mmCIF file of all heavy atoms in Angstrom:
data_model
loop_
_atom_site.group_PDB
_atom_site.id
_atom_site.type_symbol
_atom_site.label_atom_id
_atom_site.label_comp_id
_atom_site.label_asym_id
_atom_site.label_seq_id
_atom_site.Cartn_x
_atom_site.Cartn_y
_atom_site.Cartn_z
ATOM 1 N N ILE A 1 -18.748 1.208 6.081
ATOM 2 C CA ILE A 1 -18.059 0.552 4.955
ATOM 3 C C ILE A 1 -16.556 0.746 5.062
ATOM 4 O O ILE A 1 -15.940 1.522 4.333
ATOM 5 C CB ILE A 1 -18.587 1.081 3.616
ATOM 6 C CG1 ILE A 1 -20.098 0.901 3.539
ATOM 7 C CG2 ILE A 1 -17.940 0.336 2.443
ATOM 8 C CD1 ILE A 1 -20.739 1.489 2.314
ATOM 9 N N ILE A 2 -15.970 0.046 6.013
ATOM 10 C CA ILE A 2 -14.513 0.011 6.174
ATOM 11 C C ILE A 2 -14.145 -1.438 6.449
ATOM 12 O O ILE A 2 -14.532 -2.002 7.465
ATOM 13 C CB ILE A 2 -14.042 0.910 7.330
ATOM 14 C CG1 ILE A 2 -14.328 2.380 7.014
ATOM 15 C CG2 ILE A 2 -12.556 0.717 7.594
ATOM 16 C CD1 ILE A 2 -14.033 3.316 8.155
ATOM 17 N N SER A 3 -13.430 -2.062 5.529
ATOM 18 C CA SER A 3 -13.026 -3.456 5.687
ATOM 19 C C SER A 3 -11.696 -3.661 4.987
ATOM 20 O O SER A 3 -11.185 -2.764 4.306
ATOM 21 C CB SER A 3 -14.076 -4.396 5.090
ATOM 22 O OG SER A 3 -14.126 -4.239 3.683
ATOM 23 N N ASN A 4 -11.104 -4.848 5.156
ATOM 24 C CA ASN A 4 -9.824 -5.096 4.494
ATOM 25 C C ASN A 4 -9.973 -5.110 2.972
ATOM 26 O O ASN A 4 -9.011 -4.834 2.244
ATOM 27 C CB ASN A 4 -9.211 -6.414 4.980
ATOM 28 C CG ASN A 4 -10.158 -7.590 4.814
ATOM 29 O OD1 ASN A 4 -11.331 -7.416 4.466
ATOM 30 N ND2 ASN A 4 -9.672 -8.777 5.066
ATOM 31 N N ILE A 5 -11.185 -5.390 2.463
ATOM 32 C CA ILE A 5 -11.407 -5.387 1.014
ATOM 33 C C ILE A 5 -11.459 -3.958 0.485
ATOM 34 O O ILE A 5 -10.770 -3.602 -0.475
ATOM 35 C CB ILE A 5 -12.715 -6.130 0.663
ATOM 36 C CG1 ILE A 5 -12.689 -7.562 1.221
ATOM 37 C CG2 ILE A 5 -12.920 -6.136 -0.839
ATOM 38 C CD1 ILE A 5 -11.601 -8.421 0.675
ATOM 39 N N THR A 6 -12.290 -3.123 1.113
ATOM 40 C CA THR A 6 -12.425 -1.744 0.643
ATOM 41 C C THR A 6 -11.122 -0.973 0.810
ATOM 42 O O THR A 6 -10.753 -0.161 -0.042
ATOM 43 C CB THR A 6 -13.536 -1.008 1.408
ATOM 44 O OG1 THR A 6 -13.230 -1.006 2.809
ATOM 45 C CG2 THR A 6 -14.874 -1.688 1.207
ATOM 46 N N GLU A 7 -10.399 -1.243 1.896
ATOM 47 C CA GLU A 7 -9.170 -0.496 2.149
ATOM 48 C C GLU A 7 -8.016 -0.956 1.257
ATOM 49 O O GLU A 7 -7.105 -0.192 0.969
ATOM 50 C CB GLU A 7 -8.779 -0.607 3.623
ATOM 51 C CG GLU A 7 -9.785 0.037 4.561
ATOM 52 C CD GLU A 7 -10.196 1.423 4.099
ATOM 53 O OE1 GLU A 7 -9.316 2.284 3.905
ATOM 54 O OE2 GLU A 7 -11.408 1.656 3.912
ATOM 55 N N SER A 8 -8.021 -2.192 0.819
ATOM 56 C CA SER A 8 -6.989 -2.643 -0.123
ATOM 57 C C SER A 8 -7.102 -1.877 -1.437
ATOM 58 O O SER A 8 -6.107 -1.575 -2.088
ATOM 59 C CB SER A 8 -7.120 -4.152 -0.373
ATOM 60 O OG SER A 8 -8.340 -4.446 -1.015
ATOM 61 N N GLU A 9 -8.334 -1.553 -1.832
ATOM 62 C CA GLU A 9 -8.552 -0.743 -3.034
ATOM 63 C C GLU A 9 -8.172 0.717 -2.780
ATOM 64 O O GLU A 9 -7.634 1.392 -3.662
ATOM 65 C CB GLU A 9 -10.019 -0.840 -3.457
ATOM 66 C CG GLU A 9 -10.457 -2.244 -3.854
ATOM 67 C CD GLU A 9 -11.946 -2.339 -4.114
ATOM 68 O OE1 GLU A 9 -12.634 -1.318 -3.898
ATOM 69 O OE2 GLU A 9 -12.407 -3.412 -4.523
ATOM 70 N N GLU A 10 -8.426 1.196 -1.572
ATOM 71 C CA GLU A 10 -8.137 2.587 -1.232
ATOM 72 C C GLU A 10 -6.636 2.857 -1.237
ATOM 73 O O GLU A 10 -6.182 3.913 -1.664
ATOM 74 C CB GLU A 10 -8.730 2.911 0.141
ATOM 75 C CG GLU A 10 -8.692 4.383 0.499
ATOM 76 C CD GLU A 10 -9.528 5.237 -0.431
ATOM 77 O OE1 GLU A 10 -10.598 4.767 -0.877
ATOM 78 O OE2 GLU A 10 -9.113 6.371 -0.721
ATOM 79 N N ILE A 11 -5.836 1.891 -0.760
ATOM 80 C CA ILE A 11 -4.381 2.072 -0.695
ATOM 81 C C ILE A 11 -3.792 2.262 -2.090
ATOM 82 O O ILE A 11 -2.853 3.033 -2.284
ATOM 83 C CB ILE A 11 -3.727 0.871 0.017
ATOM 84 C CG1 ILE A 11 -4.067 0.902 1.508
ATOM 85 C CG2 ILE A 11 -2.207 0.884 -0.161
ATOM 86 C CD1 ILE A 11 -3.557 -0.280 2.286
ATOM 87 N N ARG A 12 -4.358 1.583 -3.070
ATOM 88 C CA ARG A 12 -3.851 1.684 -4.441
ATOM 89 C C ARG A 12 -4.646 2.674 -5.288
ATOM 90 O O ARG A 12 -4.542 2.677 -6.512
ATOM 91 C CB ARG A 12 -3.869 0.308 -5.106
ATOM 92 C CG ARG A 12 -2.803 -0.646 -4.574
ATOM 93 C CD ARG A 12 -2.902 -2.006 -5.262
ATOM 94 N NE ARG A 12 -2.815 -1.893 -6.692
ATOM 95 C CZ ARG A 12 -1.683 -1.835 -7.389
ATOM 96 N NH1 ARG A 12 -0.528 -1.899 -6.747
ATOM 97 N NH2 ARG A 12 -1.690 -1.731 -8.689
ATOM 98 N N SER A 13 -5.415 3.522 -4.651
ATOM 99 C CA SER A 13 -6.224 4.504 -5.386
ATOM 100 C C SER A 13 -5.323 5.552 -6.038
ATOM 101 O O SER A 13 -4.223 5.854 -5.552
ATOM 102 C CB SER A 13 -7.225 5.182 -4.450
ATOM 103 O OG SER A 13 -6.550 5.949 -3.468
ATOM 104 N N ASP A 14 -5.790 6.127 -7.143
ATOM 105 C CA ASP A 14 -5.030 7.151 -7.855
ATOM 106 C C ASP A 14 -4.736 8.348 -6.950
ATOM 107 O O ASP A 14 -3.654 8.941 -7.014
ATOM 108 C CB ASP A 14 -5.803 7.612 -9.093
ATOM 109 C CG ASP A 14 -5.905 6.526 -10.143
ATOM 110 O OD1 ASP A 14 -5.043 5.624 -10.138
ATOM 111 O OD2 ASP A 14 -6.832 6.559 -10.961
ATOM 112 N N ARG A 15 -5.697 8.678 -6.134
ATOM 113 C CA ARG A 15 -5.551 9.831 -5.232
ATOM 114 C C ARG A 15 -4.377 9.641 -4.274
ATOM 115 O O ARG A 15 -3.541 10.537 -4.117
ATOM 116 C CB ARG A 15 -6.853 10.013 -4.442
ATOM 117 C CG ARG A 15 -6.830 11.101 -3.387
ATOM 118 C CD ARG A 15 -8.166 11.140 -2.674
ATOM 119 N NE ARG A 15 -8.487 9.871 -2.054
ATOM 120 C CZ ARG A 15 -8.022 9.512 -0.856
ATOM 121 N NH1 ARG A 15 -7.238 10.314 -0.174
ATOM 122 N NH2 ARG A 15 -8.364 8.347 -0.336
ATOM 123 N N LEU A 16 -4.284 8.479 -3.654
ATOM 124 C CA LEU A 16 -3.222 8.242 -2.675
ATOM 125 C C LEU A 16 -1.870 8.038 -3.348
ATOM 126 O O LEU A 16 -0.839 8.501 -2.840
ATOM 127 C CB LEU A 16 -3.575 7.014 -1.827
ATOM 128 C CG LEU A 16 -2.845 6.892 -0.481
ATOM 129 C CD1 LEU A 16 -3.130 8.095 0.403
ATOM 130 C CD2 LEU A 16 -3.243 5.609 0.237
ATOM 131 N N LEU A 17 -1.856 7.381 -4.496
ATOM 132 C CA LEU A 17 -0.591 7.166 -5.204
ATOM 133 C C LEU A 17 0.000 8.476 -5.706
ATOM 134 O O LEU A 17 1.221 8.644 -5.750
ATOM 135 C CB LEU A 17 -0.810 6.205 -6.380
ATOM 136 C CG LEU A 17 -1.107 4.753 -6.014
ATOM 137 C CD1 LEU A 17 -1.330 3.917 -7.266
ATOM 138 C CD2 LEU A 17 0.022 4.143 -5.187
ATOM 139 N N GLU A 18 -0.853 9.400 -6.072
ATOM 140 C CA GLU A 18 -0.379 10.716 -6.525
ATOM 141 C C GLU A 18 0.319 11.455 -5.380
ATOM 142 O O GLU A 18 1.382 12.047 -5.570
ATOM 143 C CB GLU A 18 -1.557 11.527 -7.047
ATOM 144 C CG GLU A 18 -1.161 12.880 -7.619
ATOM 145 C CD GLU A 18 -2.337 13.645 -8.195
ATOM 146 O OE1 GLU A 18 -3.415 13.048 -8.363
ATOM 147 O OE2 GLU A 18 -2.175 14.843 -8.470
ATOM 148 N N VAL A 19 -0.273 11.405 -4.196
ATOM 149 C CA VAL A 19 0.336 12.050 -3.026
ATOM 150 C C VAL A 19 1.627 11.340 -2.647
ATOM 151 O O VAL A 19 2.617 11.982 -2.268
ATOM 152 C CB VAL A 19 -0.651 12.038 -1.832
ATOM 153 C CG1 VAL A 19 -0.011 12.689 -0.611
ATOM 154 C CG2 VAL A 19 -1.933 12.769 -2.193
ATOM 155 N N LEU A 20 1.636 10.014 -2.748
ATOM 156 C CA LEU A 20 2.836 9.237 -2.440
ATOM 157 C C LEU A 20 3.989 9.636 -3.348
ATOM 158 O O LEU A 20 5.120 9.848 -2.879
ATOM 159 C CB LEU A 20 2.543 7.741 -2.585
ATOM 160 C CG LEU A 20 3.734 6.788 -2.489
ATOM 161 C CD1 LEU A 20 4.394 6.880 -1.115
ATOM 162 C CD2 LEU A 20 3.308 5.351 -2.778
ATOM 163 N N GLN A 21 3.727 9.744 -4.631
ATOM 164 C CA GLN A 21 4.758 10.109 -5.597
ATOM 165 C C GLN A 21 5.367 11.467 -5.268
ATOM 166 O O GLN A 21 6.577 11.663 -5.397
ATOM 167 C CB GLN A 21 4.159 10.113 -7.005
ATOM 168 C CG GLN A 21 5.183 10.263 -8.109
ATOM 169 C CD GLN A 21 4.544 10.159 -9.482
ATOM 170 O OE1 GLN A 21 3.333 10.318 -9.641
ATOM 171 N NE2 GLN A 21 5.357 9.898 -10.491
ATOM 172 N N GLU A 22 4.552 12.381 -4.803
ATOM 173 C CA GLU A 22 5.030 13.722 -4.462
ATOM 174 C C GLU A 22 5.865 13.736 -3.186
ATOM 175 O O GLU A 22 6.724 14.600 -3.022
ATOM 176 C CB GLU A 22 3.826 14.665 -4.289
ATOM 177 C CG GLU A 22 3.050 14.920 -5.568
ATOM 178 C CD GLU A 22 1.776 15.701 -5.317
ATOM 179 O OE1 GLU A 22 1.471 15.966 -4.132
ATOM 180 O OE2 GLU A 22 1.087 16.051 -6.301
ATOM 181 N N ASN A 23 5.641 12.776 -2.297
ATOM 182 C CA ASN A 23 6.307 12.773 -0.995
ATOM 183 C C ASN A 23 7.561 11.905 -0.930
ATOM 184 O O ASN A 23 8.241 11.892 0.099
ATOM 185 C CB ASN A 23 5.326 12.309 0.090
ATOM 186 C CG ASN A 23 4.372 13.407 0.518
ATOM 187 O OD1 ASN A 23 4.645 14.168 1.432
ATOM 188 N ND2 ASN A 23 3.244 13.500 -0.170
ATOM 189 N N LEU A 24 7.869 11.177 -1.994
ATOM 190 C CA LEU A 24 9.086 10.368 -2.007
ATOM 191 C C LEU A 24 10.309 11.242 -2.268
ATOM 192 O O LEU A 24 10.228 12.233 -2.985
ATOM 193 C CB LEU A 24 8.978 9.273 -3.077
ATOM 194 C CG LEU A 24 7.941 8.173 -2.822
ATOM 195 C CD1 LEU A 24 7.844 7.242 -4.023
ATOM 196 C CD2 LEU A 24 8.281 7.379 -1.560
ATOM 197 N N SER A 25 11.444 10.826 -1.717
ATOM 198 C CA SER A 25 12.671 11.617 -1.862
ATOM 199 C C SER A 25 13.395 11.330 -3.169
ATOM 200 O O SER A 25 14.397 11.959 -3.471
ATOM 201 C CB SER A 25 13.614 11.334 -0.689
ATOM 202 O OG SER A 25 14.024 9.979 -0.688
#
C-alpha cells in the first residue's frame, strides 16, 4: 500500500507536519 494517493495524505499528516515545524529555521 504505497501509491501517489496514499502518499499525498502522508505528506500532509499531522505527524510529519509537526516534525517539519520543528525543523524550520
Side-chain angles (χ1 to χ4, degrees):
I1 304 175
I2 295 174
S3 67
N4 55 352
I5 304 298
T6 59
E7 295 313 304
S8 65
E9 297 173 356
E10 190 63 36
I11 289 176
R12 288 179 56 84
S13 65
D14 292 336
R15 176 181 58 83
L16 200 60
L17 290 179
E18 183 177 348
V19 179
L20 172 62
Q21 189 176 19
E22 294 172 356
N23 281 270
L24 292 174
S25 63

